mmCIF file of all heavy atoms in Angstrom:
data_model
loop_
_atom_site.group_PDB
_atom_site.id
_atom_site.type_symbol
_atom_site.label_atom_id
_atom_site.label_comp_id
_atom_site.label_asym_id
_atom_site.label_seq_id
_atom_site.Cartn_x
_atom_site.Cartn_y
_atom_site.Cartn_z
ATOM 1 N N PRO E 88 -0.641 -9.035 -10.313
ATOM 2 C CA PRO E 88 -0.089 -7.909 -9.549
ATOM 3 C C PRO E 88 0.962 -7.133 -10.356
ATOM 4 O O PRO E 88 1.616 -7.718 -11.226
ATOM 5 C CB PRO E 88 0.562 -8.592 -8.337
ATOM 6 C CG PRO E 88 -0.214 -9.851 -8.162
ATOM 7 C CD PRO E 88 -0.544 -10.290 -9.567
ATOM 8 N N PHE E 89 1.075 -5.862 -10.103
ATOM 9 C CA PHE E 89 1.997 -4.950 -10.802
ATOM 10 C C PHE E 89 1.565 -4.671 -12.242
ATOM 11 O O PHE E 89 2.349 -4.174 -13.035
ATOM 12 C CB PHE E 89 3.445 -5.458 -10.820
ATOM 13 C CG PHE E 89 3.934 -6.021 -9.522
ATOM 14 C CD1 PHE E 89 4.561 -7.254 -9.478
ATOM 15 C CD2 PHE E 89 3.763 -5.312 -8.343
ATOM 16 C CE1 PHE E 89 5.010 -7.780 -8.273
ATOM 17 C CE2 PHE E 89 4.217 -5.821 -7.134
ATOM 18 C CZ PHE E 89 4.844 -7.062 -7.107
ATOM 19 N N THR E 90 0.340 -5.033 -12.634
ATOM 20 C CA THR E 90 -0.093 -4.727 -14.001
ATOM 21 C C THR E 90 -1.358 -3.875 -13.958
ATOM 22 O O THR E 90 -2.101 -3.878 -12.967
ATOM 23 C CB THR E 90 -0.425 -6.009 -14.805
ATOM 24 O OG1 THR E 90 -1.539 -6.661 -14.183
ATOM 25 C CG2 THR E 90 0.759 -6.956 -14.849
ATOM 26 N N GLY E 170 0.108 -2.783 -6.476
ATOM 27 C CA GLY E 170 0.508 -2.013 -7.647
ATOM 28 C C GLY E 170 1.999 -2.015 -7.928
ATOM 29 O O GLY E 170 2.434 -2.130 -9.067
ATOM 30 N N GLY E 171 2.817 -1.845 -6.880
ATOM 31 C CA GLY E 171 4.259 -1.771 -7.094
ATOM 32 C C GLY E 171 4.731 -0.414 -7.591
ATOM 33 O O GLY E 171 5.874 -0.291 -8.031
ATOM 34 N N ASN E 172 3.837 0.612 -7.556
ATOM 35 C CA ASN E 172 4.293 1.992 -7.801
ATOM 36 C C ASN E 172 4.996 2.183 -9.140
ATOM 37 O O ASN E 172 6.048 2.821 -9.219
ATOM 38 C CB ASN E 172 5.228 2.380 -6.641
ATOM 39 C CG ASN E 172 5.371 3.877 -6.488
ATOM 40 O OD1 ASN E 172 4.688 4.654 -7.154
ATOM 41 N ND2 ASN E 172 6.288 4.286 -5.625
ATOM 42 N N ILE E 173 4.467 1.594 -10.214
ATOM 43 C CA ILE E 173 5.131 1.672 -11.521
ATOM 44 C C ILE E 173 4.544 2.826 -12.334
ATOM 45 O O ILE E 173 3.343 2.853 -12.591
ATOM 46 C CB ILE E 173 4.954 0.363 -12.313
ATOM 47 C CG1 ILE E 173 5.437 -0.818 -11.470
ATOM 48 C CG2 ILE E 173 5.722 0.427 -13.623
ATOM 49 C CD1 ILE E 173 5.028 -2.150 -12.045
ATOM 50 N N PRO E 174 5.400 3.796 -12.747
ATOM 51 C CA PRO E 174 4.894 4.941 -13.503
ATOM 52 C C PRO E 174 4.175 4.471 -14.774
ATOM 53 O O PRO E 174 4.659 3.578 -15.472
ATOM 54 C CB PRO E 174 6.153 5.735 -13.872
ATOM 55 C CG PRO E 174 7.240 5.195 -13.016
ATOM 56 C CD PRO E 174 6.848 3.829 -12.573
ATOM 57 N N LYS E 176 1.780 2.613 -15.286
ATOM 58 C CA LYS E 176 1.071 1.335 -15.240
ATOM 59 C C LYS E 176 0.215 1.200 -13.987
ATOM 60 O O LYS E 176 -0.942 0.809 -14.044
ATOM 61 C CB LYS E 176 2.061 0.162 -15.305
ATOM 62 C CG LYS E 176 2.415 -0.227 -16.739
ATOM 63 C CD LYS E 176 2.857 -1.683 -16.802
ATOM 64 C CE LYS E 176 4.373 -1.770 -16.749
ATOM 65 N NZ LYS E 176 4.872 -3.154 -16.750
ATOM 66 N N PHE G 112 17.777 -19.501 -7.486
ATOM 67 C CA PHE G 112 17.432 -18.511 -8.523
ATOM 68 C C PHE G 112 18.496 -17.430 -8.635
ATOM 69 O O PHE G 112 18.867 -17.017 -9.727
ATOM 70 C CB PHE G 112 16.063 -17.886 -8.222
ATOM 71 C CG PHE G 112 15.503 -17.082 -9.358
ATOM 72 C CD1 PHE G 112 14.833 -17.708 -10.400
ATOM 73 C CD2 PHE G 112 15.652 -15.697 -9.406
ATOM 74 C CE1 PHE G 112 14.327 -16.970 -11.457
ATOM 75 C CE2 PHE G 112 15.157 -14.954 -10.467
ATOM 76 C CZ PHE G 112 14.487 -15.597 -11.497
ATOM 77 N N VAL G 119 22.495 -13.135 -12.470
ATOM 78 C CA VAL G 119 21.088 -13.217 -12.834
ATOM 79 C C VAL G 119 20.548 -11.855 -13.285
ATOM 80 O O VAL G 119 19.680 -11.764 -14.152
ATOM 81 C CB VAL G 119 20.275 -13.787 -11.633
ATOM 82 C CG1 VAL G 119 20.370 -12.873 -10.422
ATOM 83 C CG2 VAL G 119 18.823 -14.013 -12.002
ATOM 84 N N LEU G 120 21.120 -10.761 -12.739
ATOM 85 C CA LEU G 120 20.681 -9.419 -13.124
ATOM 86 C C LEU G 120 21.027 -9.124 -14.578
ATOM 87 O O LEU G 120 20.273 -8.464 -15.294
ATOM 88 C CB LEU G 120 21.338 -8.373 -12.221
ATOM 89 C CG LEU G 120 20.790 -8.256 -10.806
ATOM 90 C CD1 LEU G 120 21.607 -7.263 -10.010
ATOM 91 C CD2 LEU G 120 19.322 -7.835 -10.826
ATOM 92 N N LYS G 121 22.196 -9.590 -15.020
ATOM 93 C CA LYS G 121 22.632 -9.313 -16.398
ATOM 94 C C LYS G 121 21.853 -10.134 -17.401
ATOM 95 O O LYS G 121 21.602 -9.700 -18.518
ATOM 96 C CB LYS G 121 24.139 -9.566 -16.526
ATOM 97 C CG LYS G 121 24.915 -8.481 -15.793
ATOM 98 C CD LYS G 121 26.417 -8.646 -15.907
ATOM 99 C CE LYS G 121 27.097 -7.520 -15.148
ATOM 100 N NZ LYS G 121 28.452 -7.863 -14.704
ATOM 101 N N LYS G 122 21.467 -11.352 -16.982
ATOM 102 C CA LYS G 122 20.672 -12.194 -17.886
ATOM 103 C C LYS G 122 19.263 -11.633 -18.028
ATOM 104 O O LYS G 122 18.666 -11.726 -19.092
ATOM 105 C CB LYS G 122 20.624 -13.628 -17.347
ATOM 106 C CG LYS G 122 21.929 -14.383 -17.578
ATOM 107 C CD LYS G 122 21.722 -15.869 -17.264
ATOM 108 C CE LYS G 122 23.035 -16.514 -16.828
ATOM 109 N NZ LYS G 122 22.881 -17.262 -15.572
ATOM 110 N N GLY G 123 18.735 -11.090 -16.955
ATOM 111 C CA GLY G 123 17.417 -10.441 -17.016
ATOM 112 C C GLY G 123 16.255 -11.366 -17.292
ATOM 113 O O GLY G 123 15.231 -10.940 -17.827
ATOM 114 N N GLU G 124 16.394 -12.652 -16.929
ATOM 115 C CA GLU G 124 15.294 -13.585 -17.209
ATOM 116 C C GLU G 124 14.286 -13.626 -16.064
ATOM 117 O O GLU G 124 14.142 -14.628 -15.384
ATOM 118 C CB GLU G 124 15.863 -14.987 -17.483
ATOM 119 C CG GLU G 124 16.548 -15.058 -18.829
ATOM 120 C CD GLU G 124 17.458 -16.278 -18.962
ATOM 121 O OE1 GLU G 124 17.575 -17.047 -17.994
ATOM 122 O OE2 GLU G 124 18.044 -16.427 -20.034
ATOM 123 N N PHE G 125 13.639 -12.510 -15.849
ATOM 124 C CA PHE G 125 12.609 -12.421 -14.816
ATOM 125 C C PHE G 125 11.672 -11.289 -15.201
ATOM 126 O O PHE G 125 12.008 -10.436 -16.028
ATOM 127 C CB PHE G 125 13.231 -12.180 -13.439
ATOM 128 C CG PHE G 125 14.266 -11.080 -13.423
ATOM 129 C CD1 PHE G 125 13.896 -9.761 -13.305
ATOM 130 C CD2 PHE G 125 15.619 -11.382 -13.564
ATOM 131 C CE1 PHE G 125 14.844 -8.752 -13.309
ATOM 132 C CE2 PHE G 125 16.578 -10.375 -13.573
ATOM 133 C CZ PHE G 125 16.193 -9.060 -13.445
ATOM 134 N N ALA G 126 10.476 -11.299 -14.606
ATOM 135 C CA ALA G 126 9.475 -10.283 -14.967
ATOM 136 C C ALA G 126 9.519 -9.080 -14.033
ATOM 137 O O ALA G 126 9.283 -7.952 -14.447
ATOM 138 C CB ALA G 126 8.080 -10.912 -14.959
ATOM 139 N N HIS G 127 9.819 -9.310 -12.746
ATOM 140 C CA HIS G 127 9.763 -8.215 -11.774
ATOM 141 C C HIS G 127 10.941 -8.241 -10.811
ATOM 142 O O HIS G 127 11.270 -9.275 -10.250
ATOM 143 C CB HIS G 127 8.466 -8.282 -10.972
ATOM 144 C CG HIS G 127 7.231 -8.186 -11.819
ATOM 145 N ND1 HIS G 127 6.892 -7.047 -12.513
ATOM 146 C CD2 HIS G 127 6.271 -9.092 -12.082
ATOM 147 C CE1 HIS G 127 5.767 -7.267 -13.164
ATOM 148 N NE2 HIS G 127 5.374 -8.494 -12.930
ATOM 149 N N LEU G 128 11.542 -7.076 -10.660
ATOM 150 C CA LEU G 128 12.631 -6.887 -9.706
ATOM 151 C C LEU G 128 12.132 -5.903 -8.647
ATOM 152 O O LEU G 128 11.786 -4.770 -8.974
ATOM 153 C CB LEU G 128 13.863 -6.331 -10.429
ATOM 154 C CG LEU G 128 15.053 -5.907 -9.570
ATOM 155 C CD1 LEU G 128 15.749 -7.107 -8.967
ATOM 156 C CD2 LEU G 128 16.046 -5.101 -10.405
ATOM 157 N N SER G 129 12.093 -6.361 -7.405
ATOM 158 C CA SER G 129 11.490 -5.545 -6.353
ATOM 159 C C SER G 129 12.548 -4.773 -5.576
ATOM 160 O O SER G 129 13.609 -5.300 -5.265
ATOM 161 C CB SER G 129 10.721 -6.480 -5.409
ATOM 162 O OG SER G 129 10.279 -5.789 -4.273
ATOM 163 N N LEU G 130 12.266 -3.512 -5.278
ATOM 164 C CA LEU G 130 13.113 -2.755 -4.363
ATOM 165 C C LEU G 130 12.268 -1.725 -3.627
ATOM 166 O O LEU G 130 11.127 -1.485 -3.986
ATOM 167 C CB LEU G 130 14.299 -2.099 -5.082
ATOM 168 C CG LEU G 130 14.101 -1.410 -6.418
ATOM 169 C CD1 LEU G 130 13.972 0.082 -6.217
ATOM 170 C CD2 LEU G 130 15.314 -1.686 -7.295
ATOM 171 N N LEU G 146 22.534 -1.217 -9.162
ATOM 172 C CA LEU G 146 22.108 -1.478 -10.547
ATOM 173 C C LEU G 146 22.879 -0.593 -11.520
ATOM 174 O O LEU G 146 23.248 -1.024 -12.616
ATOM 175 C CB LEU G 146 20.597 -1.230 -10.687
ATOM 176 C CG LEU G 146 19.681 -2.240 -9.993
ATOM 177 C CD1 LEU G 146 18.229 -1.792 -10.068
ATOM 178 C CD2 LEU G 146 19.839 -3.622 -10.622
ATOM 179 N N VAL G 151 23.146 -2.035 -15.445
ATOM 180 C CA VAL G 151 21.905 -2.677 -15.892
ATOM 181 C C VAL G 151 20.658 -1.877 -15.499
ATOM 182 O O VAL G 151 19.538 -2.310 -15.746
ATOM 183 C CB VAL G 151 21.767 -4.114 -15.329
ATOM 184 C CG1 VAL G 151 22.841 -5.013 -15.912
ATOM 185 C CG2 VAL G 151 21.853 -4.111 -13.805
ATOM 186 N N PHE G 152 20.861 -0.682 -14.924
ATOM 187 C CA PHE G 152 19.711 0.084 -14.446
ATOM 188 C C PHE G 152 18.742 0.416 -15.581
ATOM 189 O O PHE G 152 17.532 0.211 -15.462
ATOM 190 C CB PHE G 152 20.177 1.360 -13.748
ATOM 191 C CG PHE G 152 19.046 2.184 -13.196
ATOM 192 C CD1 PHE G 152 18.307 1.737 -12.117
ATOM 193 C CD2 PHE G 152 18.705 3.403 -13.771
ATOM 194 C CE1 PHE G 152 17.253 2.480 -11.604
ATOM 195 C CE2 PHE G 152 17.648 4.153 -13.271
ATOM 196 C CZ PHE G 152 16.930 3.691 -12.187
ATOM 197 N N ASP G 153 19.284 0.904 -16.709
ATOM 198 C CA ASP G 153 18.405 1.303 -17.809
ATOM 199 C C ASP G 153 17.665 0.115 -18.404
ATOM 200 O O ASP G 153 16.469 0.199 -18.691
ATOM 201 C CB ASP G 153 19.214 2.031 -18.896
ATOM 202 C CG ASP G 153 19.692 3.385 -18.378
ATOM 203 O OD1 ASP G 153 18.956 3.992 -17.578
ATOM 204 O OD2 ASP G 153 20.797 3.809 -18.764
ATOM 205 N N SER G 154 18.391 -1.003 -18.573
ATOM 206 C CA SER G 154 17.743 -2.149 -19.212
ATOM 207 C C SER G 154 16.723 -2.820 -18.292
ATOM 208 O O SER G 154 15.789 -3.454 -18.765
ATOM 209 C CB SER G 154 18.793 -3.170 -19.664
ATOM 210 O OG SER G 154 19.520 -3.646 -18.552
ATOM 211 N N LEU G 155 16.893 -2.662 -16.984
ATOM 212 C CA LEU G 155 15.965 -3.332 -16.064
ATOM 213 C C LEU G 155 14.864 -2.414 -15.538
ATOM 214 O O LEU G 155 13.951 -2.863 -14.848
ATOM 215 C CB LEU G 155 16.733 -3.907 -14.861
ATOM 216 C CG LEU G 155 17.675 -5.077 -15.156
ATOM 217 C CD1 LEU G 155 18.357 -5.534 -13.882
ATOM 218 C CD2 LEU G 155 16.914 -6.239 -15.789
ATOM 219 N N GLN G 156 14.947 -1.132 -15.888
ATOM 220 C CA GLN G 156 14.030 -0.160 -15.298
ATOM 221 C C GLN G 156 12.553 -0.546 -15.437
ATOM 222 O O GLN G 156 11.765 -0.364 -14.518
ATOM 223 C CB GLN G 156 14.259 1.215 -15.919
ATOM 224 C CG GLN G 156 13.753 2.321 -15.021
ATOM 225 C CD GLN G 156 14.360 3.664 -15.368
ATOM 226 O OE1 GLN G 156 14.840 3.883 -16.470
ATOM 227 N NE2 GLN G 156 14.339 4.567 -14.425
ATOM 228 N N SER G 157 12.206 -1.108 -16.602
ATOM 229 C CA SER G 157 10.795 -1.447 -16.823
ATOM 230 C C SER G 157 10.350 -2.633 -15.961
ATOM 231 O O SER G 157 9.160 -2.918 -15.873
ATOM 232 C CB SER G 157 10.572 -1.762 -18.296
ATOM 233 O OG SER G 157 11.302 -2.907 -18.647
ATOM 234 N N LYS G 158 11.299 -3.337 -15.360
ATOM 235 C CA LYS G 158 10.932 -4.496 -14.540
ATOM 236 C C LYS G 158 10.879 -4.175 -13.049
ATOM 237 O O LYS G 158 10.512 -5.018 -12.244
ATOM 238 C CB LYS G 158 11.940 -5.625 -14.758
ATOM 239 C CG LYS G 158 11.941 -6.120 -16.188
ATOM 240 C CD LYS G 158 12.869 -7.285 -16.396
ATOM 241 C CE LYS G 158 12.705 -7.793 -17.821
ATOM 242 N NZ LYS G 158 13.555 -8.929 -18.109
ATOM 243 N N ILE G 159 11.266 -2.941 -12.710
ATOM 244 C CA ILE G 159 11.325 -2.584 -11.294
ATOM 245 C C ILE G 159 9.933 -2.352 -10.726
ATOM 246 O O ILE G 159 9.130 -1.624 -11.308
ATOM 247 C CB ILE G 159 12.186 -1.315 -11.093
ATOM 248 C CG1 ILE G 159 13.652 -1.642 -11.386
ATOM 249 C CG2 ILE G 159 12.026 -0.762 -9.671
ATOM 250 C CD1 ILE G 159 14.573 -0.442 -11.320
ATOM 251 N N VAL G 160 9.646 -3.003 -9.612
ATOM 252 C CA VAL G 160 8.447 -2.677 -8.840
ATOM 253 C C VAL G 160 8.908 -2.172 -7.475
ATOM 254 O O VAL G 160 9.888 -2.667 -6.930
ATOM 255 C CB VAL G 160 7.491 -3.880 -8.680
ATOM 256 C CG1 VAL G 160 6.970 -4.311 -10.021
ATOM 257 C CG2 VAL G 160 8.167 -5.048 -7.991
ATOM 258 N N GLN G 161 8.224 -1.155 -6.969
ATOM 259 C CA GLN G 161 8.673 -0.527 -5.733
ATOM 260 C C GLN G 161 7.750 -0.814 -4.571
ATOM 261 O O GLN G 161 6.544 -0.665 -4.672
ATOM 262 C CB GLN G 161 8.719 0.993 -5.915
ATOM 263 C CG GLN G 161 9.886 1.470 -6.730
ATOM 264 C CD GLN G 161 9.844 2.978 -6.881
ATOM 265 O OE1 GLN G 161 9.118 3.676 -6.180
ATOM 266 N NE2 GLN G 161 10.629 3.479 -7.807
ATOM 267 N N GLY G 162 8.352 -1.222 -3.458
ATOM 268 C CA GLY G 162 7.609 -1.305 -2.208
ATOM 269 C C GLY G 162 7.678 0.044 -1.531
ATOM 270 O O GLY G 162 8.632 0.792 -1.734
ATOM 271 N N PHE G 171 6.764 -8.534 -1.592
ATOM 272 C CA PHE G 171 6.525 -8.816 -3.017
ATOM 273 C C PHE G 171 7.318 -10.047 -3.465
ATOM 274 O O PHE G 171 6.851 -10.856 -4.261
ATOM 275 C CB PHE G 171 6.947 -7.623 -3.881
ATOM 276 C CG PHE G 171 5.994 -6.454 -3.828
ATOM 277 C CD1 PHE G 171 6.438 -5.177 -4.133
ATOM 278 C CD2 PHE G 171 4.663 -6.619 -3.502
ATOM 279 C CE1 PHE G 171 5.571 -4.083 -4.095
ATOM 280 C CE2 PHE G 171 3.782 -5.542 -3.464
ATOM 281 C CZ PHE G 171 4.244 -4.271 -3.758
ATOM 282 N N ILE G 172 8.544 -10.188 -2.937
ATOM 283 C CA ILE G 172 9.389 -11.332 -3.320
ATOM 284 C C ILE G 172 8.916 -12.596 -2.608
ATOM 285 O O ILE G 172 8.791 -13.657 -3.215
ATOM 286 C CB ILE G 172 10.870 -11.064 -2.981
ATOM 287 C CG1 ILE G 172 11.309 -9.686 -3.486
ATOM 288 C CG2 ILE G 172 11.765 -12.140 -3.572
ATOM 289 C CD1 ILE G 172 12.621 -9.216 -2.898
ATOM 290 N N ASN G 176 5.432 -12.787 -6.168
ATOM 291 C CA ASN G 176 4.966 -11.863 -7.210
ATOM 292 C C ASN G 176 6.124 -11.200 -7.949
ATOM 293 O O ASN G 176 6.015 -10.884 -9.127
ATOM 294 C CB ASN G 176 4.034 -10.824 -6.609
ATOM 295 C CG ASN G 176 2.655 -11.395 -6.330
ATOM 296 O OD1 ASN G 176 1.946 -11.771 -7.243
ATOM 297 N ND2 ASN G 176 2.288 -11.512 -5.066
ATOM 298 N N ALA G 177 7.239 -10.969 -7.249
ATOM 299 C CA ALA G 177 8.478 -10.572 -7.910
ATOM 300 C C ALA G 177 9.451 -11.731 -7.710
ATOM 301 O O ALA G 177 9.553 -12.268 -6.614
ATOM 302 C CB ALA G 177 9.033 -9.288 -7.301
ATOM 303 N N GLU G 178 10.147 -12.124 -8.779
ATOM 304 C CA GLU G 178 11.037 -13.287 -8.669
ATOM 305 C C GLU G 178 12.210 -13.010 -7.750
ATOM 306 O O GLU G 178 12.734 -13.911 -7.105
ATOM 307 C CB GLU G 178 11.569 -13.696 -10.047
ATOM 308 C CG GLU G 178 10.510 -14.252 -10.988
ATOM 309 C CD GLU G 178 9.923 -13.180 -11.888
ATOM 310 O OE1 GLU G 178 9.847 -12.001 -11.443
ATOM 311 O OE2 GLU G 178 9.545 -13.495 -13.020
ATOM 312 N N LEU G 179 12.656 -11.731 -7.755
ATOM 313 C CA LEU G 179 13.809 -11.385 -6.937
ATOM 314 C C LEU G 179 13.786 -9.902 -6.627
ATOM 315 O O LEU G 179 12.951 -9.164 -7.167
ATOM 316 C CB LEU G 179 15.126 -11.775 -7.644
ATOM 317 C CG LEU G 179 15.636 -10.908 -8.808
ATOM 318 C CD1 LEU G 179 17.007 -11.384 -9.242
ATOM 319 C CD2 LEU G 179 14.697 -10.905 -9.987
ATOM 320 N N GLY G 180 14.696 -9.487 -5.764
ATOM 321 C CA GLY G 180 14.738 -8.070 -5.436
ATOM 322 C C GLY G 180 15.800 -7.779 -4.399
ATOM 323 O O GLY G 180 16.440 -8.688 -3.866
ATOM 324 N N PHE G 181 15.989 -6.470 -4.152
ATOM 325 C CA PHE G 181 16.997 -6.053 -3.178
ATOM 326 C C PHE G 181 16.332 -5.809 -1.824
ATOM 327 O O PHE G 181 15.382 -5.045 -1.724
ATOM 328 C CB PHE G 181 17.679 -4.764 -3.639
ATOM 329 C CG PHE G 181 18.621 -4.971 -4.793
ATOM 330 C CD1 PHE G 181 18.218 -4.714 -6.099
ATOM 331 C CD2 PHE G 181 19.910 -5.430 -4.572
ATOM 332 C CE1 PHE G 181 19.084 -4.898 -7.159
ATOM 333 C CE2 PHE G 181 20.793 -5.609 -5.629
ATOM 334 C CZ PHE G 181 20.377 -5.346 -6.929
#
Side-chain angles (χ1 to χ4, degrees):
Chain E
F89 317 131
T90 64
N172 201 7
I173 306 168
K176 274 205 264 178
Chain G
F112 192 82
V119 62
L120 285 176
K121 289 182 180 155
K122 284 191 207 129
E124 288 163 358
F125 48 83
H127 300 294
L128 173 71
S129 172
L130 43 99
L146 290 173
V151 294
F152 182 69
D153 291 327
S154 61
L155 292 180
Q156 202 161 21
S157 64
K158 297 183 175 181
I159 291 176
V160 296
Q161 285 179 14
F171 285 157
I172 311 166
N176 284 295
E178 292 94 329
L179 76 174
F181 287 98

